[in-house]
Amino acid sequence: TMQHWHVYVKWNERLFHEMREAYLAGRLESDPADNWAKGELGFFDFYVIPLAKKLKDCGVFGVSSDEYLNYALANREEW
């Protein structure tokens, strides 16, 4: 989520397919397809972007913190 779009999508698709297989096998109660897109927006809005902002504010990763925030915002917009 705080990386290049194509990397984010690659791992997002893999997670989705893993969770979908778990649902079809009876190991997950709800179908991830029902709320995946909305859930990703919430993940960006309530976890990823606030975290990226805090990382930028504290400067723990130096100039990379700006990059992480920019990727998070761009990926959220693309999503």
Side-chain angles (χ1 to χ4, degrees), residues 1-3 5 44-45 48-50 52-53 56 66-79:
T1 51
M2 291 188 278
Q3 52 207 326
W5 171 253
F44 274 110
D45 292 343
V48 175
I49 293 171
K53 287 179 179 178
K56 181 181 175 182
D66 288 332
E67 185 176 327
Y68 298 150
L69 178 56
N70 290 337
Y71 281 138
L73 293 170
N75 288 345
R76 199 267 186 220
E77 184 67 28
E78 186 74 23
W79 186 262

Side-chain angles (χ1 to χ4, degrees), residues 50-69:
L51 174 61
K53 287 179 179 178
K54 288 179 184 178
L55 291 173
K56 181 181 175 182
D57 290 345
C58 73
V60 69
F61 293 115
V63 295
S64 295
S65 299
D66 288 332
E67 185 176 327
Y68 298 150
L69 178 56

Side-chain angles (χ1 to χ4, degrees), residues 1-16 36-45 48 71-79:
T1 51
M2 291 188 278
Q3 52 207 326
H4 290 279
W5 171 253
H6 68 279
V7 175
Y8 161 66
V9 169
K10 172 185 166 181
W11 292 105
N12 187 276
E13 286 177 358
R14 289 179 182 193
L15 177 60
F16 174 81
W36 194 263
K38 184 178 179 181
E40 283 298 295
L41 292 175
F43 185 57
F44 274 110
D45 292 343
V48 175
Y71 281 138
L73 293 170
N75 288 345
R76 199 267 186 220
E77 184 67 28
E78 186 74 23
W79 186 262

Side-chain angles (χ1 to χ4, degrees), residues 18-32 34:
E18 181 179 335
M19 293 180 72
R20 178 85 168 133
E21 287 177 22
Y23 168 73
L24 294 174
R27 297 188 315 269
L28 193 63
E29 290 184 20
S30 59
D31 186 347
D34 291 342

